[in-house]
Amino acid sequence: MKPVKPTRGQLERQLSQSIQAFYREQLGHQPSKVTCQLFDTKIAIILEDSVTPTEQILNKEGQRELAQQVRSSLDEATRPPLKKLIEEVIGTKILDLLCDATVDTGRTGIIAILADTPDTRPSEKLSKVEPGA
Amino acid sequence: MNANSHHFRQLQTVLFRELKQLYKQQLNQELSQITCRVFEKSLVILLEGTITQPERILAEHQNTNLVKKVRESLDRIIQPQIKNIVENVMPFKVVDILSDTTIENNCTGAIVIFELENYSENVAKLNKTQRQKLGADDGVTPALDPSINKA
């Protein structure tokens, strides 16, 4: 029996959960919210509260530059395993992975450029039945 | 195509023109392609052809650390200007902007996060020039359109 392809929404949700778990495992800090938007051959990912307490305290105590530097280095270090994880979840190669974070807002933004459009099936929307129809 | 998506396309045209001008004026760099997509509370922009000739030469001569440093600085300088352009063109307040560039792929990506709480008020507050830019003078509110566009 052929495995059922996920819908775009299911794939986005699965990716969000995997990314949330990835950051918990890698940095010991779980972002409060991860949003994934798949469009054509691209994925836009937004992570809320992605900055660790270490960076937060540095930033709060006037070491903003250092906090931002730590964040850039963490993004650089987590980039290869994150790329691998996204590729595994969506089943498509990534050509480019762009990543940036702001320590002030704790937000991280990631854009993945894919080699192909992920294989998904159309979502089954319930059709509206008019009363009396 | 409905009126709202028509307005959105007009708005995108202005956005693309301003972004191209920014790179031309600041870095004498011609962007080869701009792609953007609007979601519920964010705008994703992809700019292709952002790497300048000096950076390319540095990269070719293995000055990897220096070229990375230069690009990071350029992105930090350009970022607030992209924010200004988006805020001038679109009726939203920008609360965050995240951007990154890969030198090998000659591509910059930016995610702009909007504050959508005062959307209707913001549209109402647009000055005449902005409304003319958006083609919003006939009272139709520019809306978010999920279509993708390239320049």
Side-chain angles (χ1 to χ4, degrees):
Chain A
M1 204 169 84
K2 269 189 178 176
V4 183
K5 285 186 219 167
T7 62
R8 200 188 70 183
Q10 285 171 339
L11 197 60
E12 287 172 345
R13 274 192 296 280
Q14 195 192 338
L15 188 59
S16 297
Q17 286 164 5
S18 303
I19 290 172
Q20 213 163 17
F22 171 84
Y23 276 89
R24 190 179 58 234
E25 282 160 25
Q26 295 282 321
L27 304 177
H29 176 79
Q30 181 173 304
S32 62
K33 191 179 173 193
V34 178
T35 317
C36 294
Q37 304 273 12
L38 183 63
F39 58 105
D40 296 338
T41 54
K42 296 162 193 82
I43 307 173
I45 305 161
I46 299 168
L47 289 82
E48 307 282 351
D49 302 314
S50 59
V51 170
T52 63
T54 309
E55 297 155 88
Q56 283 175 32
I57 200 161
L58 284 173
N59 189 36
K60 204 176 133 196
E61 298 302 323
Q63 302 280 327
R64 191 186 182 277
E65 195 89 333
L66 181 58
Q68 196 69 54
Q69 209 179 322
V70 170
R71 177 43 51 175
S72 300
S73 301
L74 289 176
D75 283 344
E76 209 55 53
T78 50
R79 195 184 294 250
L82 179 65
K83 186 179 171 201
K84 197 168 165 240
L85 171 87
I86 300 171
E87 284 179 340
E88 278 170 8
V89 174
I90 59 166
T92 305
K93 278 251 161 230
I94 292 177
L95 301 176
D96 209 348
L97 192 70
L98 303 151
C99 180
D100 189 25
T102 331
V103 287
D104 296 326
T105 60
R107 201 175 273 122
T108 296
I110 301 166
I111 301 173
I113 316 281
L114 313 174
D116 296 295
T117 311
D119 204 8
T120 56
R121 69 181 159 87
S123 59
E124 292 154 19
K125 280 186 182 160
L126 292 172
S127 54
K128 254 189 186 175
V129 181
E130 294 295 328
Chain B
M1 189 168 75
N2 62 33
N4 281 347
S5 67
H6 171 69
H7 282 301
F8 187 75
R9 277 177 220 291
Q10 283 182 314
L11 197 132
Q12 276 187 141
T13 308
V14 179
L15 182 68
F16 290 169
R17 192 183 63 219
E18 303 267 324
L19 288 170
K20 275 189 171 184
Q21 257 175 26
L22 171 69
Y23 275 82
K24 183 73 190 157
Q25 280 169 3
Q26 297 278 314
L27 301 168
N28 196 26
Q29 186 66 13
E30 296 276 1
L31 297 180
S32 54
Q33 188 169 285
I34 307 176
T35 311
C36 94
R37 182 87 172 207
V38 177
F39 295 103
E40 196 187 336
K41 58 162 197 170
S42 61
L43 166 72
V44 178
I45 308 169
L46 280 165
L47 306 165
E48 290 175 46
T50 47
I51 302 298
T52 61
Q53 191 68 16
E55 289 171 278
R56 212 169 302 140
I57 293 166
L58 288 174
E60 278 166 15
H61 289 80
Q62 318 302 324
N63 285 307
T64 320
N65 284 340
L66 180 58
V67 75
K68 266 176 105 175
K69 218 172 160 185
V70 169
R71 180 40 59 175
E72 273 173 24
S73 300
L74 288 178
D75 279 353
R76 294 288 160 225
I77 295 163
I78 294 283
Q79 215 182 53
Q81 300 185 57
I82 294 180
K83 179 181 180 262
N84 282 344
I85 287 175
V86 173
E87 281 188 329
N88 283 334
V89 172
M90 304 184 94
F92 308 113
K93 188 179 183 307
V94 173
V95 290
D96 211 352
I97 175 161
L98 306 147
S99 71
D100 190 20
T101 302
T102 39
I103 292 146
E104 317 84 66
N105 294 328
N106 200 1
C107 176
T108 297
I111 299 180
V112 182
I113 313 284
F114 297 130
E115 180 189 83
L116 289 179
E117 281 169 23
N118 304 319
Y119 177 75
S120 307
E121 285 173 38
N122 290 345
V123 172
K125 273 187 213 161
L126 288 175
N127 62 38
K128 202 181 173 194
T129 319
Q130 282 173 309
R131 293 184 68 84
Q132 277 169 350
K133 263 189 193 172
L134 305 181
D137 263 346
D138 54 4
V140 181
T141 305
L144 303 182
D145 184 323
S147 60
I148 193 158
N149 268 284
K150 289 174 178 179

